[in-house]
mmCIF file with all atom_site columns, all heavy atoms in Angstrom:
data_model
loop_
_atom_site.group_PDB
_atom_site.id
_atom_site.type_symbol
_atom_site.label_atom_id
_atom_site.label_alt_id
_atom_site.label_comp_id
_atom_site.label_asym_id
_atom_site.label_entity_id
_atom_site.label_seq_id
_atom_site.pdbx_PDB_ins_code
_atom_site.Cartn_x
_atom_site.Cartn_y
_atom_site.Cartn_z
_atom_site.occupancy
_atom_site.B_iso_or_equiv
_atom_site.pdbx_formal_charge
_atom_site.auth_seq_id
_atom_site.auth_comp_id
_atom_site.auth_asym_id
_atom_site.auth_atom_id
_atom_site.pdbx_PDB_model_num
ATOM 1  N N   . ALA A 1 540 ? 11.791 3.098  28.020 1.00 0.00 ? 540 ALA A N   1
ATOM 2  C CA  . ALA A 1 540 ? 11.738 3.528  29.462 1.00 0.00 ? 540 ALA A CA  1
ATOM 3  C C   . ALA A 1 540 ? 13.056 4.104  29.891 1.00 0.00 ? 540 ALA A C   1
ATOM 4  O O   . ALA A 1 540 ? 13.133 5.072  30.501 1.00 0.00 ? 540 ALA A O   1
ATOM 5  C CB  . ALA A 1 540 ? 11.500 2.360  30.372 1.00 0.00 ? 540 ALA A CB  1
ATOM 6  N N   . PHE A 1 541 ? 14.295 3.645  29.255 1.00 0.00 ? 541 PHE A N   1
ATOM 7  C CA  . PHE A 1 541 ? 15.507 4.278  29.787 1.00 0.00 ? 541 PHE A CA  1
ATOM 8  C C   . PHE A 1 541 ? 16.140 5.186  28.732 1.00 0.00 ? 541 PHE A C   1
ATOM 9  O O   . PHE A 1 541 ? 17.196 5.696  28.990 1.00 0.00 ? 541 PHE A O   1
ATOM 10 C CB  . PHE A 1 541 ? 16.470 2.944  29.983 1.00 0.00 ? 541 PHE A CB  1
ATOM 11 C CG  . PHE A 1 541 ? 16.129 2.069  30.956 1.00 0.00 ? 541 PHE A CG  1
ATOM 12 C CD1 . PHE A 1 541 ? 15.521 0.775  30.691 1.00 0.00 ? 541 PHE A CD1 1
ATOM 13 C CD2 . PHE A 1 541 ? 16.371 2.369  32.301 1.00 0.00 ? 541 PHE A CD2 1
ATOM 14 C CE1 . PHE A 1 541 ? 15.303 0.019  31.767 1.00 0.00 ? 541 PHE A CE1 1
ATOM 15 C CE2 . PHE A 1 541 ? 15.925 1.552  33.351 1.00 0.00 ? 541 PHE A CE2 1
ATOM 16 C CZ  . PHE A 1 541 ? 15.497 0.405  33.052 1.00 0.00 ? 541 PHE A CZ  1
ATOM 17 N N   . GLU A 1 542 ? 15.290 5.621  27.829 1.00 0.00 ? 542 GLU A N   1
ATOM 18 C CA  . GLU A 1 542 ? 15.862 6.508  26.848 1.00 0.00 ? 542 GLU A CA  1
ATOM 19 C C   . GLU A 1 542 ? 15.738 7.963  27.549 1.00 0.00 ? 542 GLU A C   1
ATOM 20 O O   . GLU A 1 542 ? 14.733 8.287  28.017 1.00 0.00 ? 542 GLU A O   1
ATOM 21 C CB  . GLU A 1 542 ? 14.909 6.596  25.747 1.00 0.00 ? 542 GLU A CB  1
ATOM 22 C CG  . GLU A 1 542 ? 15.482 6.753  24.337 1.00 0.00 ? 542 GLU A CG  1
ATOM 23 C CD  . GLU A 1 542 ? 14.371 6.491  23.267 1.00 0.00 ? 542 GLU A CD  1
ATOM 24 O OE1 . GLU A 1 542 ? 13.639 7.441  23.001 1.00 0.00 ? 542 GLU A OE1 1
ATOM 25 O OE2 . GLU A 1 542 ? 14.378 5.422  22.815 1.00 0.00 ? 542 GLU A OE2 1
ATOM 26 N N   . PRO A 1 543 ? 16.812 8.675  27.305 1.00 0.00 ? 543 PRO A N   1
ATOM 27 C CA  . PRO A 1 543 ? 16.844 10.090 27.840 1.00 0.00 ? 543 PRO A CA  1
ATOM 28 C C   . PRO A 1 543 ? 15.741 10.875 27.263 1.00 0.00 ? 543 PRO A C   1
ATOM 29 O O   . PRO A 1 543 ? 15.496 10.778 26.070 1.00 0.00 ? 543 PRO A O   1
ATOM 30 C CB  . PRO A 1 543 ? 18.193 10.714 27.600 1.00 0.00 ? 543 PRO A CB  1
ATOM 31 C CG  . PRO A 1 543 ? 19.055 9.513  27.117 1.00 0.00 ? 543 PRO A CG  1
ATOM 32 C CD  . PRO A 1 543 ? 18.106 8.371  26.747 1.00 0.00 ? 543 PRO A CD  1
ATOM 33 N N   . PHE A 1 544 ? 15.137 11.711 28.071 1.00 0.00 ? 544 PHE A N   1
ATOM 34 C CA  . PHE A 1 544 ? 14.086 12.723 27.544 1.00 0.00 ? 544 PHE A CA  1
ATOM 35 C C   . PHE A 1 544 ? 12.763 12.027 27.235 1.00 0.00 ? 544 PHE A C   1
ATOM 36 O O   . PHE A 1 544 ? 11.856 12.706 26.625 1.00 0.00 ? 544 PHE A O   1
ATOM 37 C CB  . PHE A 1 544 ? 14.639 13.677 26.455 1.00 0.00 ? 544 PHE A CB  1
ATOM 38 C CG  . PHE A 1 544 ? 15.829 14.281 26.824 1.00 0.00 ? 544 PHE A CG  1
ATOM 39 C CD1 . PHE A 1 544 ? 17.080 13.936 26.412 1.00 0.00 ? 544 PHE A CD1 1
ATOM 40 C CD2 . PHE A 1 544 ? 15.785 15.243 27.910 1.00 0.00 ? 544 PHE A CD2 1
ATOM 41 C CE1 . PHE A 1 544 ? 18.191 14.606 26.692 1.00 0.00 ? 544 PHE A CE1 1
ATOM 42 C CE2 . PHE A 1 544 ? 17.031 15.920 28.262 1.00 0.00 ? 544 PHE A CE2 1
ATOM 43 C CZ  . PHE A 1 544 ? 18.163 15.545 27.704 1.00 0.00 ? 544 PHE A CZ  1
ATOM 44 N N   . PHE A 1 545 ? 12.655 10.660 27.322 1.00 0.00 ? 545 PHE A N   1
ATOM 45 C CA  . PHE A 1 545 ? 11.384 10.112 27.173 1.00 0.00 ? 545 PHE A CA  1
ATOM 46 C C   . PHE A 1 545 ? 10.558 10.168 28.443 1.00 0.00 ? 545 PHE A C   1
ATOM 47 O O   . PHE A 1 545 ? 10.980 9.707  29.485 1.00 0.00 ? 545 PHE A O   1
ATOM 48 C CB  . PHE A 1 545 ? 11.464 8.572  26.631 1.00 0.00 ? 545 PHE A CB  1
ATOM 49 C CG  . PHE A 1 545 ? 10.148 7.959  26.394 1.00 0.00 ? 545 PHE A CG  1
ATOM 50 C CD1 . PHE A 1 545 ? 9.403  8.111  25.411 1.00 0.00 ? 545 PHE A CD1 1
ATOM 51 C CD2 . PHE A 1 545 ? 9.736  7.070  27.489 1.00 0.00 ? 545 PHE A CD2 1
ATOM 52 C CE1 . PHE A 1 545 ? 8.128  7.487  25.343 1.00 0.00 ? 545 PHE A CE1 1
ATOM 53 C CE2 . PHE A 1 545 ? 8.565  6.316  27.406 1.00 0.00 ? 545 PHE A CE2 1
ATOM 54 C CZ  . PHE A 1 545 ? 7.765  6.655  26.400 1.00 0.00 ? 545 PHE A CZ  1
ATOM 55 N N   . THR A 1 546 ? 9.325  10.652 28.332 1.00 0.00 ? 546 THR A N   1
ATOM 56 C CA  . THR A 1 546 ? 8.541  10.742 29.573 1.00 0.00 ? 546 THR A CA  1
ATOM 57 C C   . THR A 1 546 ? 7.028  10.650 29.108 1.00 0.00 ? 546 THR A C   1
ATOM 58 O O   . THR A 1 546 ? 6.667  10.998 28.019 1.00 0.00 ? 546 THR A O   1
ATOM 59 C CB  . THR A 1 546 ? 8.757  12.057 30.366 1.00 0.00 ? 546 THR A CB  1
ATOM 60 O OG1 . THR A 1 546 ? 7.965  11.953 31.540 1.00 0.00 ? 546 THR A OG1 1
ATOM 61 C CG2 . THR A 1 546 ? 8.370  13.331 29.512 1.00 0.00 ? 546 THR A CG2 1
ATOM 62 N N   . THR A 1 547 ? 6.121  10.116 30.079 1.00 0.00 ? 547 THR A N   1
ATOM 63 C CA  . THR A 1 547 ? 4.740  10.155 29.883 1.00 0.00 ? 547 THR A CA  1
ATOM 64 C C   . THR A 1 547 ? 4.130  11.111 30.864 1.00 0.00 ? 547 THR A C   1
ATOM 65 O O   . THR A 1 547 ? 2.885  11.191 30.880 1.00 0.00 ? 547 THR A O   1
ATOM 66 C CB  . THR A 1 547 ? 4.242  8.698  30.108 1.00 0.00 ? 547 THR A CB  1
ATOM 67 O OG1 . THR A 1 547 ? 4.604  8.319  31.443 1.00 0.00 ? 547 THR A OG1 1
ATOM 68 C CG2 . THR A 1 547 ? 4.787  7.769  29.087 1.00 0.00 ? 547 THR A CG2 1
ATOM 69 N N   . LYS A 1 548 ? 4.958  11.762 31.678 1.00 0.00 ? 548 LYS A N   1
ATOM 70 C CA  . LYS A 1 548 ? 4.334  12.643 32.636 1.00 0.00 ? 548 LYS A CA  1
ATOM 71 C C   . LYS A 1 548 ? 4.305  14.007 32.079 1.00 0.00 ? 548 LYS A C   1
ATOM 72 O O   . LYS A 1 548 ? 5.174  14.430 31.302 1.00 0.00 ? 548 LYS A O   1
ATOM 73 C CB  . LYS A 1 548 ? 5.239  12.641 33.796 1.00 0.00 ? 548 LYS A CB  1
ATOM 74 C CG  . LYS A 1 548 ? 5.325  11.400 34.626 1.00 0.00 ? 548 LYS A CG  1
ATOM 75 C CD  . LYS A 1 548 ? 6.288  11.493 35.756 1.00 0.00 ? 548 LYS A CD  1
ATOM 76 C CE  . LYS A 1 548 ? 6.550  10.109 36.189 1.00 0.00 ? 548 LYS A CE  1
ATOM 77 N NZ  . LYS A 1 548 ? 7.680  10.121 37.230 1.00 0.00 ? 548 LYS A NZ  1
ATOM 78 N N   . ALA A 1 549 ? 3.331  14.754 32.461 1.00 0.00 ? 549 ALA A N   1
ATOM 79 C CA  . ALA A 1 549 ? 3.099  16.157 31.942 1.00 0.00 ? 549 ALA A CA  1
ATOM 80 C C   . ALA A 1 549 ? 4.177  17.077 32.375 1.00 0.00 ? 549 ALA A C   1
ATOM 81 O O   . ALA A 1 549 ? 4.756  17.881 31.639 1.00 0.00 ? 549 ALA A O   1
ATOM 82 C CB  . ALA A 1 549 ? 1.784  16.714 32.411 1.00 0.00 ? 549 ALA A CB  1
ATOM 83 N N   . ARG A 1 550 ? 4.831  16.870 33.508 1.00 0.00 ? 550 ARG A N   1
ATOM 84 C CA  . ARG A 1 550 ? 5.840  17.646 34.165 1.00 0.00 ? 550 ARG A CA  1
ATOM 85 C C   . ARG A 1 550 ? 7.157  16.920 34.290 1.00 0.00 ? 550 ARG A C   1
ATOM 86 O O   . ARG A 1 550 ? 7.888  17.213 35.120 1.00 0.00 ? 550 ARG A O   1
ATOM 87 C CB  . ARG A 1 550 ? 5.454  18.273 35.400 1.00 0.00 ? 550 ARG A CB  1
ATOM 88 C CG  . ARG A 1 550 ? 4.305  19.454 35.234 1.00 0.00 ? 550 ARG A CG  1
ATOM 89 C CD  . ARG A 1 550 ? 4.904  20.715 34.794 1.00 0.00 ? 550 ARG A CD  1
ATOM 90 N NE  . ARG A 1 550 ? 3.925  21.647 34.152 1.00 0.00 ? 550 ARG A NE  1
ATOM 91 C CZ  . ARG A 1 550 ? 3.230  22.444 34.897 1.00 0.00 ? 550 ARG A CZ  1
ATOM 92 N NH1 . ARG A 1 550 ? 3.484  22.536 36.111 1.00 0.00 ? 550 ARG A NH1 1
ATOM 93 N NH2 . ARG A 1 550 ? 2.387  23.267 34.256 1.00 0.00 ? 550 ARG A NH2 1
ATOM 94 N N   . GLY A 1 551 ? 7.397  15.838 33.494 1.00 0.00 ? 551 GLY A N   1
ATOM 95 C CA  . GLY A 1 551 ? 8.572  15.012 33.739 1.00 0.00 ? 551 GLY A CA  1
ATOM 96 C C   . GLY A 1 551 ? 9.676  15.543 32.904 1.00 0.00 ? 551 GLY A C   1
ATOM 97 O O   . GLY A 1 551 ? 9.504  16.183 31.852 1.00 0.00 ? 551 GLY A O   1
#
Side-chain angles (χ1 to χ4, degrees):
Chain A
F541 294 103
E542 216 172 87
F544 307 110
F545 173 77
T546 183
T547 55
K548 296 175 190 169
R550 288 283 162 86

